[in-house]
Amino acid sequence: MTHPTAAAGVFSFSPGSAVASKLEAFTKLSSDDRAALADVSKNYRFVDARRDLISEGDKPRFVHLVLDGWACRYKQLPDGKRQIVSLFVPGDFCDLNVYILKAMDHSIGAITRLKVAMITPEEMDGLTSQRPRITQGLWWHELVTAAIQREWTLNIGQRTAFERIAHLLVELYLRLKTVGRTHDHGCDFPLTQNDLADATGLTAVHVNRTLQELRKEKLIELDRKQLRILDLDRLMDVAMFNANYLHLDHEGRHLDANA
Amino acid sequence: MTHPTAAAGVFSFSPGSAVASKLEAFTKLSSDDRAALADVSKNYRFVDARRDLISEGDKPRFVHLVLDGWACRYKQLPDGKRQIVSLFVPGDFCDLNVYILKAMDHSIGAITRLKVAMITPEEMDGLTSQRPRITQGLWWHELVTAAIQREWTLNIGQRTAFERIAHLLVELYLRLKTVGRTHDHGCDFPLTQNDLADATGLTAVHVNRTLQELRKEKLIELDRKQLRILDLDRLMDVAMFNANYLHLDHEGRHLDANA
DNA sequence: CGTCTGGTTGATACGACTCAAATTTGGTGG
DNA sequence: CCACCAAATTTGAGTCGTATCAACCAGACG
């Protein structure tokens, strides 16, 4: 069994490896597939931390693919309240097909300095018309993205602050793991407590206290933007975390990469 | 008009009209397009109120299209808490392309008696390969569905109980309006206060009191499953409702239906 | 060094929850 | 058509989780 992708333990990542790793959680890719993904990632730009990649009201023109760094989708209310509705980590596409809409109904902001590919509709068409496995992979990506959004609705609607934050930490840890962005039991975690508050529907003060509880329970360490999961099983347990919504079980592995 | 005993089972609309109305909020359809939608709706079944259409863990085999009645997507937590993560009204597709996944990560339940089309992957392929305008429309549907899910995240995360319920009522009223399911300023509203609670992340008791406030404010009437919006402008205002996320502004109307 | 952002702490307030019971509604069968 | 039962709505009283407000502190940085 050969594993041609950059794997855990490798320190440097070639551009595009995150997407490929991610899609390979669902389906096998051929080297041509991977080359096509790399090709489409060639046109990228950097966005400074805390700047918008695209803002509510803008006309969407590209599909964005996060190559490195973290970003978030957020919506703002007239009374000033802000909700982070999703988070993007390397390998995540922002909005397949958005460019058919007239205007963005939300903004996408960089959490860290961001390296992001700008893919034109034409490039996307090329990808989907010539690479069926990638097309399937993109559909899977869409479905998982939707499932994550639903899980967030559940998270905010039904879980306590403690469970909620625990759940978010597990989700992000697992997502980063599938793109090879974890080391040992830890990962970068660039969200401020304020971001965490906006993502979970809590206040920063309460997030602070809840994180202290998580630390006191010896479930996590979180310091200087570094997260370490001390007891994943127990953390998943208290979060009532059920990984089925991430659909990481290689649904499409029966597809032959060389067909 | 039809008499008020509009009990479950009285369907006064021809099959397929809801979807067509809905997609035409985005793009013009030709009569062939409409015929194709009607064709694909021919294979339907009924589901009793309060029964699952499909349950978490099931292998998805069809795309479901709601022809009449209301349904909901919900997720349940091990501790018994339930979150309704989305609602389906006539004209809504449940899950384009789900069948590429191994197992459902949530359940879909009927709120009322439901008339629902079961569309096979092959039929979907036929639709998308031969009817580009429908394909575009389905993409738009996907994007709007995702936008609604994000708005729910915002709703539950940041709005007060009063704003939250007001927002949900406006959303449903507008969605029903685009498929011709409103009359005057009212519509069927089959959700119980318990459903409303599960959809908004509140308790039934609190929903009850909040509805009373909305009534006292002369914003709505809600009785015997009939909703009447007394002052839509003010209701949208208190809900901080911004309709942009529904993308009802005919983005694709430039597409010629007879091209 | 001062400034700034992010994190921490304490005191207090309130929105929403809980529990429990009463009431109304809707459906069903005698 | 009424009697009955279950489901849904309503009410009241008490509690709790999370918000709010206001300092204060630590590290990063120019």
Side-chain angles (χ1 to χ4, degrees), chain A:
Chain A
M1 202 76 35
T2 62
H3 291 276
T5 45
V10 175
F11 300 126
S12 64
F13 299 87
S14 57
S17 65
V19 220
S21 300
K22 176 156 189 186
L23 296 188
E24 292 216 310
F26 169 68
T27 187
K28 273 251 148 266
L29 298 179
S30 68
S31 54
D32 280 359
D33 290 331
R34 276 190 296 276
L37 286 172
D39 191 54
V40 109
S41 304
K42 274 205 289 236
N43 180 26
Y44 57 83
R45 66 183 174 111
F46 288 94
V47 180
D48 282 347
R50 305 291 150 183
R51 309 290 285 215
D52 274 1
L53 214 161
I54 186 166
S55 303
E56 182 168 346
D58 289 355
K59 166 76 187 146
R61 299 181 187 289
F62 302 99
V63 171
H64 294 103
L65 165 59
V66 176
L67 299 176
D68 223 324
W70 288 35
C72 69
R73 249 196 254 271
Y74 65 92
K75 301 199 72 161
Q76 200 121 16
L77 251 21
D79 67 358
K81 284 175 180 158
R82 181 175 94 127
Q83 176 72 39
I84 292 180
V85 295
S86 18
L87 288 167
F88 299 107
V89 297
D92 286 336
F93 283 90
C94 288
D95 282 293
L96 297 185
N97 266 288
V98 248
Y99 41 79
I100 73 172
L101 298 179
K102 263 197 198 151
M104 295 289 288
D105 57 54
H106 62 270
S107 305
I108 299 182
I111 301 278
T112 63
R113 180 171 152 84
L114 203 65
K115 183 179 177 185
V116 61
M118 320 282 287
I119 311 178
T120 63
E122 294 71 33
E123 287 177 299
M124 287 305 291
D125 287 348
L127 214 53
T128 51
S129 66
Q130 284 160 42
R131 311 235 66 86
R133 234 165 288 100
I134 289 183
T135 307
Q136 283 266 299
L138 292 180
W139 266 111
W140 170 80
H141 183 285
E142 269 314 85
L143 291 167
V144 172
T145 302
I148 290 173
Q149 196 68 50
R150 290 191 295 265
E151 189 69 30
W152 279 43
T153 307
L154 167 64
N155 203 28
I156 297 174
Q158 301 298 337
R159 279 187 259 252
T160 65
F162 187 82
E163 296 159 356
R164 214 181 285 185
I165 292 178
H167 192 278
L168 183 60
L169 297 181
V170 173
E171 178 186 302
L172 287 167
Y173 177 75
L174 294 182
R175 285 170 61 186
L176 289 169
K177 196 166 180 178
T178 76
V179 293
R181 254 41 175 204
T182 55
H183 41 271
D184 204 0
H185 294 267
C187 59
D188 282 0
F189 197 85
L191 297 183
T192 66
Q193 293 184 358
N194 219 320
D195 296 331
L196 227 24
D198 287 347
T200 53
L202 300 165
T203 58
V205 172
H206 201 59
V207 166
N208 181 285
R209 297 186 163 123
T210 306
L211 284 174
Q212 291 180 47
E213 274 189 80
L214 284 162
R215 286 188 273 246
K216 188 152 35 175
E217 291 281 340
K218 297 268 182 280
L219 290 165
I220 62 159
E221 279 170 6
L222 176 54
D223 190 44
R224 322 287 168 98
K225 314 281 176 223
Q226 287 297 312
L227 172 65
R228 167 169 280 270
I229 310 275
L230 300 178
D231 189 338
L232 183 59
D233 287 347
R234 204 153 53 85
L235 191 61
M236 290 178 74
D237 213 56
V238 303
M240 295 183 284
F241 193 97
N242 180 341
N244 66 358
Y245 75 101
L246 294 174
H247 296 281
L248 293 173
D249 39 7
H250 291 267
E251 277 91 347
R253 77 189 140 183
H254 57 282
L255 298 169
D256 183 349
N258 301 310

Side-chain angles (χ1 to χ4, degrees), chain B residues 80-141:
Chain B
K81 286 176 180 157
R82 182 175 94 127
Q83 177 73 37
I84 291 180
V85 295
S86 18
L87 287 167
F88 299 107
V89 297
D92 286 338
F93 283 90
C94 289
D95 282 292
L96 297 185
N97 265 290
V98 248
Y99 42 79
I100 73 172
L101 298 179
K102 264 198 199 150
M104 295 288 289
D105 58 54
H106 61 272
S107 305
I108 300 183
I111 301 279
T112 62
R113 182 171 147 84
L114 203 66
K115 183 180 175 185
V116 60
M118 318 282 287
I119 311 178
T120 63
E122 294 71 34
E123 287 177 300
M124 289 304 294
D125 287 348
L127 213 54
T128 51
S129 66
Q130 283 160 44
R131 310 235 66 87
R133 235 165 287 100
I134 289 183
T135 306
Q136 283 268 296
L138 292 181
W139 265 111
W140 170 80
H141 183 286

